[in-house]
Amino acid sequence: MLIRIRRGWELPESAATPEAVVMGRRGALGAGIAAGAAALALPGLASPALAQAVAPAMRNPRYQPGREITPEADVASYNNYYEFGTSKSVASAAARLKVSPWSVKFDGLVERPRELGLEDLLKQVRQEERVLRHRCVEAWAMTVPWTGFPMSELVRLAAPRPEAKFVVFETATQRDTMPGLRQAWYPWPYSDGCSVAEARNELAFIATGMYGKPLPPQNGAPIRALFPWKYGFKAPKSIVRVTFQAEQPVGYWEKLQASEYGFWANVNPEVAHPRWSQASERLLGSNERVPTRIYNGYGEFVAPLYAGMQNQRIWY
Ligand SMILES: Nc1nc2c(c(=O)[nH]1)N[C@H]1C(S)=C(S)[C@@H](COP(=O)(O)O)O[C@H]1N2
Ligand SMILES: [Mo]
């Protein structure tokens, strides 16, 4: 049954998007199941070696979404990936993304800066499936069975030095496949970061697949970050570089519009966007509207990370 209560502050989706508008950039713009399914239908986009690395993965039962899994077609056809355009329909443009060969550079405050080929990297981690809730600042949400590995494993491979307090994820810039890069007022490359403590939290995840198959380009192939307790813009897609540093990183959206959207706004539904409430979210697929929970409902895993920090201005 679909229960939809429209309140005064609810905007139609068309008014609530795109993300750039969300971030107050109007001015600049004027300018187990998985294992079974995995053996079937591997898209031709990923390299064979990568496809094998992605499947099969056992579902980790520790993370119960408490919601129905969103239909794959919705997750794969309603995206934010600005390198391919600012509409939600970027899947066909993103099909041009070159995902093979792919490598990830580790640098900054690490014991040994190096670049790892993706297949090589994936040989050194154990993949699993996790069904996680994912919510965008634009107030839509989805529930996705992702394949991947804990971000703490990536930190282990990177071997940061003790002075490293933050991690920055930088994403691909392929001039020939990404028309969005020509929009020079955006601070490319897309990047965002977190504290090393957050990256080591058990909930922080690196995804390489979804629905038992390699990630489609529009969802961030071949490797992306997920912080299920924060809004989706903190989850960089198509990562090419992981940098460890002592200073708080300045992400893509903060560079665009520093007044929006600090940490507390990203995890607390009581902090409204200047133009709408964040108290509820629309579930892709069913269109049902449900209340948004603090830390996206993952407080039991992550709240201790922020103990005593309530009065600090933090931007990750
Ligand atoms: N490289 C890159 N990563 C990105 C974005 C982007 O535009 N470029 N958009 C972010 C935003 S705003 C959201 S909500 C999620 C959307 O992920 P999805 O399309 O898989 O749902 O990706 C995030 N990661
Ligand atoms: Mo988003």
Side-chain angles (χ1 to χ4, degrees):
M1 186 171 72
L2 178 72
I3 303 169
R4 187 168 161 81
I5 304 163
R6 189 175 276 278
R7 306 228 176 89
W9 45 257
E10 273 185 42
L11 296 172
E13 196 86 3
S14 56
T17 57
E19 190 103 3
V21 178
V22 171
M23 298 300 181
R25 201 49 187 172
R26 225 177 257 282
L29 277 179
I33 290 163
L40 315 166
L42 293 167
L45 291 156
S47 74
L50 180 57
Q52 276 162 15
V54 165
M58 292 290 288
R59 185 170 294 180
N60 186 334
R62 187 166 156 77
Y63 309 100
Q64 293 295 332
R67 286 180 188 174
E68 305 239 331
I69 289 177
T70 306
E72 182 180 354
D74 291 297
V75 175
S77 64
Y78 191 87
N79 302 98
N80 275 330
Y81 199 155
Y82 272 29
E83 290 85 334
F84 292 103
T86 52
S87 90
K88 294 288 175 282
S89 306
V90 289
S92 62
R96 298 186 59 213
L97 180 74
K98 287 197 287 275
V99 297
S100 182
W102 196 274
S103 60
V104 181
K105 190 191 278 181
F106 295 91
D107 64 3
L109 299 174
V110 294
E111 294 302 343
R112 183 165 61 96
R114 59 176 173 158
E115 189 156 342
L116 267 180
L118 186 58
E119 274 98 36
D120 208 19
L121 193 163
L122 293 181
K123 276 185 212 138
Q124 301 177 58
V125 296
R126 196 166 44 86
Q127 302 224 63
E128 63 183 49
E129 185 181 76
R130 286 191 189 185
V131 184
L132 299 169
R133 299 183 298 273
H134 172 77
R135 191 219 195 258
C136 175
V137 66
E138 297 161 343
W140 50 268
M142 59 197 198
T143 306
V144 182
W146 303 101
T147 305
F149 57 93
M151 194 178 285
S152 58
E153 289 288 287
L154 196 77
V155 176
R156 177 181 60 80
L157 289 177
R161 302 216 301 261
E163 320 86 89
K165 296 288 177 263
F166 298 95
V167 193
V168 182
F169 298 95
E170 188 179 298
T171 73
T173 48
Q174 295 180 359
R175 305 242 148 241
D176 47 341
T177 70
M178 296 174 159
L181 300 183
R182 279 177 243 142
Q183 300 189 302
W185 56 88
Y186 286 117
W188 310 112
Y190 192 102
S191 77
D192 216 316
C194 67
S195 69
V196 172
E198 289 176 315
R200 287 196 169 116
N201 181 273
E202 65 166 286
L203 206 59
F205 201 60
I206 297 289
T208 57
M210 64 181 208
Y211 298 86
K213 293 172 276 187
L215 279 177
Q218 66 272 23
N219 291 94
I223 180 168
R224 73 174 298 178
L226 292 168
F227 298 92
W229 69 98
K230 301 184 188 186
Y231 292 155
F233 69 88
K234 306 299 287 186
K237 295 174 165 179
S238 310
I239 294 167
V240 295
R241 183 177 174 198
V242 181
T243 304
F244 288 78
Q245 59 188 49
E247 320 78 48
Q248 269 194 52
V250 182
Y252 178 89
W253 295 108
E254 189 188 345
K255 282 179 197 151
L256 267 175
Q257 179 61 35
S259 65
E260 301 172 21
Y261 231 87
F263 170 80
W264 299 107
N266 293 334
V267 297
N268 185 353
E270 287 175 21
V271 181
H273 183 273
R275 290 181 295 285
W276 62 84
S277 164
Q278 295 289 19
S280 71
E281 60 207 53
R282 180 180 68 91
L283 303 182
L284 293 191
S286 71
N287 280 334
E288 194 188 336
R289 191 163 273 278
V290 299
T292 294
R293 290 153 69 198
I294 183 122
Y295 296 118
N296 200 20
Y298 291 109
E300 61 172 306
F301 299 103
V302 299
L305 280 172
Y306 312 105
M309 293 169 73
Q310 272 68 9
N311 296 321
Q312 283 179 35
R313 260 177 72 86
I314 47 181
W315 282 102
Y316 44 85

